[in-house]
Amino acid sequence: RAGEPAEGMDLEVADDRLAYDGDIKVNPVVESSSVIVVPGTEVRVYVAGFVARLGQVTLRRGATALDAVAAAGGVTSGGDGTRVALARKTGEGAFSLEIDVTSALDAWEAPGEASGETLAQMPVAPLPLLEDGDALFVPEAAPEQVLVMGEVARPGAYKLQRGAKLLDAIAAAGGATARASLDNVTVYAAGKSDQAGKRAIGEGRELFAGSA
């Protein structure tokens, strides 16, 4: 109103509102010098980094970073969906925000939903809605270091990609020796001796029986 954003108002004239219902109660008088902005139903967002298809994607208004990354073909094996950077320009300048798309996707695909089962899950912060002109960047996954000891060809510390499995770590160390007891491999979570777990990965054991 009168060209001043601080005195403006937002009105809904969508399918089930004014234009079709004839509800004139929310139809204000337009004053001289007023500025009227009619937003589009779509937003255009640029997605870069470690995604399958780089470039601009067009989404319905109300979409999130999860929708944009999915439209770009998803995060590649070398990308880190837990640290997606959102960049946005505003009237007060530019700002950036780090978003965990992976956790949001895991929560959305949580097992038990289809069967109606209720599972306890860690709360996931809601993703911000994207605006026209936003840019998303999926960074490279930082290699994770693990220490492989005992009866392997080359004991030592190795950097593995995020999501690597136990057999990947053993393979990076050159594989097990002939003296290795693969039915009693110990894994210390985060290197803590009080968080040890036994894994049987010998022939005929769990990882070779189809549970990877």
Side-chain angles (χ1 to χ4, degrees):
R1 192 171 64 188
E4 299 182 12
E7 298 182 6
M9 64 178 71
D10 293 329
L11 298 173
E12 291 187 4
V13 289
D15 295 351
D16 59 347
R17 291 295 189 269
L18 174 66
Y20 298 96
D21 292 344
D23 185 0
I24 62 172
K25 295 180 181 179
V26 293
N27 188 19
V29 174
V30 177
E31 299 179 2
S32 176
S33 302
S34 293
V35 176
I36 302 171
V37 179
V38 180
T41 60
E42 298 177 333
V43 293
R44 290 169 293 277
V45 178
Y46 189 82
V47 186
F50 287 78
V51 292
R53 297 186 296 273
L54 306 179
Q56 182 175 276
V57 296
T58 301
L59 308 166
R60 295 286 296 178
R61 186 170 296 276
T64 67
L66 182 58
D67 301 308
V69 171
V75 179
T76 64
S77 59
D80 184 356
T82 66
R83 298 186 297 113
V84 177
L86 165 65
R88 175 178 298 168
K89 291 183 178 180
T90 68
E92 299 178 354
F95 82 96
S96 62
L97 177 69
E98 190 171 282
I99 302 173
D100 184 353
V101 171
T102 299
S103 293
L105 178 61
D106 290 343
W108 187 73
E109 296 181 337
E113 291 183 353
S115 61
E117 297 178 3
T118 301
L119 300 177
Q121 299 178 9
M122 292 295 291
V124 178
L127 299 180
L129 301 184
L130 296 175
E131 296 183 2
D132 196 48
D134 282 353
L136 293 170
F137 178 78
V138 179
E140 181 178 11
E144 299 180 347
Q145 184 168 285
V146 299
L147 184 62
V148 187
M149 303 173 63
E151 290 298 331
V152 291
R154 298 185 300 273
Y158 294 90
K159 290 183 177 180
L160 304 175
Q161 291 297 321
R162 184 182 298 274
K165 303 294 184 67
L166 176 56
L167 286 180
D168 298 321
I170 294 176
T177 68
R179 297 186 300 274
S181 175
L182 294 179
D183 60 353
N184 194 27
V185 177
T186 303
V187 179
Y188 296 96
K192 299 179 180 179
S193 59
D194 60 341
Q195 296 185 22
K198 300 291 185 179
R199 297 290 185 272
I201 60 173
E203 186 175 357
R205 300 301 197 275
E206 60 183 77
L207 294 191
F208 291 90
S211 176

